[in-house]
Amino acid sequence: MKKLFVATLLLLAATSHAGQKAITDSGEEVTLNSDGTWAYANNAPKAAQKIETNKSKFEKSKDSTFLLKSTKNNSAFWINTLNWSFAKTQGDAAYEYQFQLKGKDLYGMAITEGIEIPLESLADLALTNARSAAPDAKIIMKEYRVVNGKKVIYMEIKATVKGIDFTYRGYYYSNSSGSTQLVTYTATNAVAKYKSEINDFLNGLVTR
């Protein structure tokens, strides 16, 4: 079972090479440029997209006392090392760090890069890449949040991988130093059990 979970780490990995094509969740094709800008491929005007803002307070947990820093941009992640293990990936892996709730089937990844991408485009790219691996991937919740003083998009995606229903919950953030996706995933029927750990993990996202 563990190998199957680990094999899905790349499901939401969003690369950002110049000229990359993506499909938004409204069905429009867009092109992502190397300077972080994007445009509709057919020159259609951008349709208004209503994303609600969650006005709740989102801050790092007092138990998250270890600051793990990205080497690709100025993002960093406060984690509780008593609960979470982590490893830095090597080579050309799409994600910089991978995480696991110790002894449990809850996983996480930090996908970081040095290109600034509009938040909405970053979320759209994540969904597009998810659908390339799991065609039935769909958004079940999407909203803006202010996390430790930074505006992010929070998104939940459900997808079926090798017959197993997975739920991905993540924060999507970008600034002039680059873009970050901090994502957790587990089997859908385990989400409620890990709700507290998921929230504490995601709310560790900061910039330095």
Side-chain angles (χ1 to χ4, degrees), residues 77-177:
F77 319 99
W78 286 104
I79 62 174
N80 181 345
T81 53
L82 294 177
N83 293 339
W84 289 88
S85 62
F86 67 90
K88 187 174 177 63
T89 58
Q90 304 297 320
D92 295 327
Y95 48 93
E96 185 175 7
Y97 294 104
Q98 61 187 67
F99 306 86
Q100 182 184 0
L101 187 65
K102 293 180 180 179
K104 307 294 183 180
D105 287 326
L106 175 63
Y107 298 85
M109 56 184 165
I111 304 168
T112 54
E113 53 195 324
I115 297 177
E116 183 175 11
I117 304 171
L119 286 184
E120 295 79 7
S121 301
L122 186 61
D124 287 343
L125 285 168
L127 179 62
T128 298
N129 282 281
R131 285 176 173 166
S132 70
D136 71 339
K138 62 181 179 181
I139 296 173
I140 59 174
M141 184 177 181
K142 185 178 184 181
E143 65 186 18
Y144 290 118
R145 293 182 178 182
V146 176
V147 179
N148 299 312
K150 305 298 180 182
K151 184 178 181 180
V152 307
I153 283 181
Y154 169 76
M155 190 160 64
E156 296 181 18
I157 292 176
K158 282 189 177 180
T160 305
V161 181
K162 296 186 181 299
I164 300 174
D165 291 332
F166 285 88
T167 294
Y168 298 79
R169 293 186 173 188
Y171 284 162
Y172 300 84
Y173 175 73
S174 192
N175 63 13
S176 59
S177 78

Side-chain angles (χ1 to χ4, degrees), residues 22-96:
I23 305 296
T24 72
D25 57 6
S26 61
E28 297 286 353
E29 184 178 17
V30 298
T31 301
L32 180 66
N33 302 313
S34 59
D35 62 359
T37 62
W38 65 281
Y40 280 90
N42 61 1
N43 295 319
K46 183 179 178 181
Q49 184 181 30
K50 180 66 173 177
I51 303 177
E52 300 295 334
T53 298
N54 187 327
K55 298 185 181 299
S56 299
K57 194 172 185 178
F58 299 96
E59 294 182 330
K60 85 172 197 69
S61 167
K62 61 180 177 57
D63 295 322
S64 299
T65 57
F66 182 83
L67 185 62
L68 182 64
K69 299 177 181 179
S70 171
T71 60
K72 298 183 179 181
N73 57 39
N74 71 357
S75 292
F77 319 99
W78 286 104
I79 62 174
N80 181 345
T81 53
L82 294 177
N83 293 339
W84 289 88
S85 62
F86 67 90
K88 187 174 177 63
T89 58
Q90 304 297 320
D92 295 327
Y95 48 93
E96 185 175 7

